[in-house]
Amino acid sequence: MARMGRSSRAGKSSDRGRGAADATAVTDQGGRTHAQGPLARPVDSGLAELVPDRDRARAWSLLIDGAPQSMVDLADPAHLGFEYQRRLGHLIDLVAPAGRPLTVLHLGGGALTLARYVAATRPRSRQQVAEIDTALTELVRAELPLERGWQVKVRGADARAVLERTPEAAVDLVIADVFSGARVPAHCATVEFVTLAARALAPGGWYAANIADGAALAFARAQVATLGAVFPETCLVADPAVLRGKRFGNLILAGAHTPLPIADLTRKVAGDAALGRVEHGRSLTDFTAGAVPATDATGGPSPEPPPGVFR
């Protein structure tokens, strides 16, 4: 689950619902009943809120304890409302020719936004999601149901535990979007963790991760070094203000054993509504600034967001 995602509307993380209002039940064309108005429910990780979008009739933002997680548009599952999700979407678009089905392992599920995106843009894809918060998954499945026929299996388990059980060379793409509270947990941000992800990848497969950092960017620099200890090809995508330490926010990392399509990724990022920059090669080495890889023995979680970051 991501925490620092911002919607495409400038200056706001999301349009947050007030209070714990019950939802108005409606029935969709498939005969399924789900929420129409704001809804708040306690889940394992805190208070989950589903807030209807002001601009898109069937779109919802998910918040946990006030922190924006993701946005889902039931009418258009290929729409990615948060900038970090769009950047992960660019990687999904580029990992294989358009329309080709993928086998994807999502570590962290949230509202299943990226699993929906893969299913919508790459029909017949097979996907597994590791989401430790089973109560959240039940809420999302009930109120924001997946379309019938999508091959998306959600496991209620720790992300690393699922990764450890994933067979070798089994998936085309591993997406790590793992947050505990507002922080990336230490055990999902180490060389050992990334090595497990690399083992799970089929030849030509990619690893992608969403992390959050700010100020001195010590965690982000260590994570770049961590990926570089496992993958010969790496890149980073983020808002220039985040890269300068001027704003706390999301950074997207990618790693592979084969060359990444940096030029194509740069064009996609440049065409996005949110300002972004791709770091690769020498510029990424300079960004790392001598940081050492995080290991199970030395690594720690990402930093707490500063007060007021979600307001």
Side-chain angles (χ1 to χ4, degrees):
M1 277 184 286
R3 295 283 174 171
M4 264 48 68
R6 296 194 301 169
S7 75
S8 57
R9 289 185 294 277
K12 291 289 184 181
S13 295
S14 68
D15 293 313
R16 185 182 174 188
R18 302 297 180 184
D22 285 337
T24 302
V26 295
T27 303
D28 65 18
Q29 293 179 345
R32 294 165 293 191
T33 300
H34 53 87
Q36 183 179 35
L39 178 152
R41 293 285 186 272
V43 294
D44 300 337
S45 53
L47 180 68
E49 295 177 81
L50 293 177
V51 182
D53 189 86
R54 292 176 179 174
D55 301 325
R56 305 177 75 89
R58 298 187 64 207
W60 299 79
S61 290
L62 168 67
L63 294 81
I64 302 291
D65 289 339
Q69 301 290 309
S70 52
M71 178 183 175
V72 169
D73 189 339
L74 294 176
D76 181 11
H79 173 75
L80 298 175
F82 287 171
E83 64 186 40
Y84 85 90
Q85 291 177 329
R86 290 195 295 275
R87 289 165 184 161
L88 288 168
H90 297 330
L91 292 169
I92 293 167
D93 293 343
L94 293 171
V95 71
R100 178 184 293 178
L102 296 175
T103 302
V104 185
L105 174 60
H106 301 264
L107 304 175
L112 307 177
T113 303
L114 290 172
R116 299 169 198 268
Y117 181 82
V118 172
T121 61
R122 296 180 176 275
R124 302 183 308 283
S125 291
R126 293 181 294 115
Q127 302 184 77
Q128 181 174 232
V129 181
E131 174 53 67
I132 197 168
D133 191 333
T134 56
L136 176 62
T137 298
E138 291 172 2
L139 174 66
V140 167
R141 281 188 173 279
E143 307 299 344
L144 306 176
L146 298 172
E147 292 188 14
R148 290 187 175 92
W150 283 355
Q151 299 180 61
V152 180
K153 180 178 181 180
V154 184
R155 289 191 176 184
D158 176 78
R160 181 153 171 175
V162 170
L163 190 56
E164 288 170 345
R165 295 195 297 270
T166 302
E168 184 175 353
V171 301
D172 301 306
L173 181 63
V174 173
I175 300 177
D177 191 9
V178 187
F179 281 74
S180 177
R183 309 175 76 178
V184 180
H187 74 294
C188 294
T190 66
V191 169
E192 292 86 350
F193 178 84
V194 178
T195 298
L196 288 170
R199 182 182 65 88
L201 292 175
W206 297 357
Y207 171 76
N210 174 39
I211 65 170
D213 202 359
L217 296 169
F219 181 78
R221 298 181 201 280
Q223 287 305 294
V224 173
T226 299
L227 253 68
V230 178
F231 293 108
E233 296 289 331
T234 58
C235 71
L236 177 154
V237 187
D239 186 314
V242 174
L243 290 172
R244 292 193 300 269
K246 301 296 184 181
R247 180 171 72 81
F248 193 96
N250 296 84
L251 304 96
I252 302 302
L253 309 178
H257 287 292
T258 54
L260 294 164
I262 300 301
D264 291 338
L265 179 60
T266 300
R267 281 192 290 270
K268 281 182 170 289
V269 170
D272 193 36
L275 195 62
R277 194 167 79 209
V278 179
E279 300 288 1
H280 174 261
R282 179 57 183 271
S283 67
L284 189 58
T285 300
D286 292 344
F287 172 82
T288 306
V292 299
T295 68
D296 285 348
T298 65
S302 64
E304 287 278 8
V309 72
F310 302 121
R311 294 178 185 171

